[in-house]
């Protein structure tokens, strides 16, 4: 496998790195989280103009990338800059819209004109992808949705791509459909809040939300496959973001060990601290290898792909928590202060472990998929 980026991907990475360095203050993530929508719309438009969203989709869908490695380039850059922007929402919702052939709505996502929040998780579902209690019933030519969704990122002012059950029991993998719900739909209520790692999320209630027939995305009852595609792309993205975060934390910690003087010499000369830092470096490289493997597997199908993705998410979750904890301990008391940028990177890195399934979930899933073979 060739681990090096193509010239086009290197150019994209360099362009994003320069833009983020010029326009993004890592500490702005927490500040923006206090008010809707949780990011700067002007910066979001500039991201779209740079092609950061277009890189996530293939030419047939209005973009110029779309592979796992394109996603990796974009999200590594976002991680290094701790960027507050709804890129993950655009990727996951856009992926489902692309597979369903919804070109008009997808074009609005790719150009940055419309944010579409992926709205699938429910409070009592844990990480069970098939658990959907929100219901959609036919009403003439249209649909009516009732239910609730939990921890929906980037929901304020956005359209929602909502999973709802059109048949079957609450945990039945079949019988789930996807619906595109406008932000101003009657019966839609948002209870937003800032997230601990920056950005904003919302609890969402759907009480008699009436939708036209055209709101159904894909075929009735076949939403499971679309959700699977969205979650697969989102998993690669989060893993890549985690690598970007780890690298910033690593560099900041190495620099601190070099410059923090105690008893007349840099603390980095302490052999015990050197050994701890060496372990951090090795663990990050292992995690990077797992993410490269996941990016390469994204275009595959079936249990093979899902097993590789779960392996990567488990590795990034476990390693990310370790790297964050080690960095804070090696920084000492200053590592606990809100004013230190590294603290914010560490917080985001730990929370990535809990998005789209934590390390325990993905380890269990990895084992189960292996048995299925």
């Amino acid at each position: 496998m060739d681990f090096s980026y193509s010239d086009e991907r290197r150019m994209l990475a360099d362009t994003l790195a320069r833009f983020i360095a010029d326009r993004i203050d890592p500490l702005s993530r927490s500040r923006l989280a206090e008010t809707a929508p949780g990011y700067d719309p002007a910066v979001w438009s500039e991201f779209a103009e740079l092609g950061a969203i277009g890189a996530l989709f293939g030419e047939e869908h209005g973009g110029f990338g779309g592979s796992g490695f394109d996603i990796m380039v974009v999200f590594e850059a976002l991680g290094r800059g701790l960027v507050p922007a709804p890129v993950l929402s655009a990727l996951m919702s856009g992926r489902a819209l692309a597979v369903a052939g919804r070109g008009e709505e997808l074009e609005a996502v790719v150009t940055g004109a419309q944010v579409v929040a992926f709205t699938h998780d429910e409070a009592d579902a844990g990480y069970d992808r098939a658990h959907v209690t929100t219901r959609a019933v036919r009403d003439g030519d249209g649909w009516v949705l009732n239910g609730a969704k939990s921890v929906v990122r980037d929901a304020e002012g956005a359209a929602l791509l909502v999973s709802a059950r059109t048949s079957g029991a609450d945990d039945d993998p079949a019988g789930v459909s996807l619906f595109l719900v406008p932000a101003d739909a009657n019966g839609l209520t948002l209870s937003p809040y800032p997230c601990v790692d920056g950005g904003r999320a919302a609890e969402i209630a759907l009480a008699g939300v009436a939708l036209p027939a055209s709101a159904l995305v894909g075929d009735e009852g076949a939403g499971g496959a679309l959700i699977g595609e969205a979650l697969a792309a989102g998993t690669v993205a989060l893993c890549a973001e985690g690598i970007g975060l780890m690298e910033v934390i690593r560099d900041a910690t190495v620099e601190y060990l070099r410059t923090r003087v105690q008893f007349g010499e840099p603390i980095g000369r302490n052999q015990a601290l050197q050994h701890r830092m060496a372990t951090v470096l090795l663990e990050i490289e292992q995690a990077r290898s797992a993410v490269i493997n996941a990016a390469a597997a994204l275009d595959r199908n079936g249990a093979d792909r899902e097993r590789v993705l779960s392996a990567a998410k488990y590795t990034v979750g476990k390693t990310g928590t370790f790297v964050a904890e080690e960095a804070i301990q090696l920084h000492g008391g200053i590592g606990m202060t809100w004013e230190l940028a590294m603290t914010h990177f560490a917080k985001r890195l730990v929370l990535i472990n809990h998005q789209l399934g934590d390390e325990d979930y993905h380890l269990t899933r990895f084992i189960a998929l292996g048995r299925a073979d």
Side-chain angles (χ1 to χ4, degrees), residues 100 120 129-130 132 134-138 143 145 162-169 171-179 213 215-228:
H120 177 58
R129 301 177 175 200
V132 177
T134 299
R135 292 276 170 172
V137 297
R138 288 191 177 275
W143 298 88
L145 272 60
V162 179
S163 61
R165 186 165 295 283
T166 48
S167 65
D171 296 317
D172 190 345
V176 176
S177 304
L178 286 180
F179 296 88
L216 176 64
V217 175
D219 296 328
E220 180 184 345
L226 303 180
I227 292 167

Side-chain angles (χ1 to χ4, degrees), residues 72-128:
M72 189 173 175
V73 167
V74 172
F75 278 85
E76 269 195 80
L78 296 176
R80 290 192 189 100
L82 199 63
V83 175
V87 189
L88 184 63
S89 294
L91 170 64
M92 295 180 68
S93 295
R95 186 91 172 184
L97 292 170
V99 175
R102 299 292 289 255
E104 184 176 345
E105 292 91 346
L106 179 59
E107 181 181 358
V109 171
V110 173
T111 60
Q114 176 67 66
V115 175
V116 180
F118 189 72
T119 310
H120 177 58
D121 292 341
E122 298 186 356
D124 58 350
Y127 296 119
D128 185 353

Side-chain angles (χ1 to χ4, degrees), residues 126-283:
Y127 296 119
D128 185 353
R129 301 177 175 200
H131 185 93
V132 177
T133 61
T134 299
R135 292 276 170 172
V137 297
R138 288 191 177 275
D139 181 30
D141 293 333
W143 298 88
V144 175
L145 272 60
N146 287 281
K149 297 292 182 177
S150 187
V151 197
V152 179
R153 295 262 182 167
D154 310 313
E156 293 167 280
L160 307 178
L161 189 61
V162 179
S163 61
R165 186 165 295 283
T166 48
S167 65
D170 290 347
D171 296 317
D172 190 345
V176 176
S177 304
L178 286 180
F179 296 88
L180 198 57
V181 179
D184 59 353
N186 290 330
L188 175 65
T189 304
L190 273 64
S191 301
Y193 48 84
C195 298
V196 70
D197 59 330
R200 290 176 69 81
E203 303 301 296
I204 291 178
L206 302 120
V209 176
L211 299 172
S214 60
L216 176 64
V217 175
D219 296 328
E220 180 184 345
L226 303 180
I227 292 167
E229 286 298 318
L231 292 173
T235 298
V236 171
L238 285 174
C239 289
E241 183 185 354
I243 294 297
L245 291 161
M246 287 185 224
E247 291 182 343
V248 172
I249 293 170
R250 173 202 65 197
D251 293 345
T253 306
V254 168
E255 182 63 20
Y256 184 77
L257 295 178
R258 286 174 178 165
T259 57
R260 174 71 168 93
V261 174
Q262 194 171 44
F263 303 116
E265 64 178 29
I267 62 174
R269 290 184 182 174
N270 183 292
Q271 193 174 58
L273 299 188
Q274 290 175 3
H275 289 169
R276 289 176 68 176
M277 199 64 215
T279 303
V280 167
L281 300 179
L282 289 171
E283 291 292 330

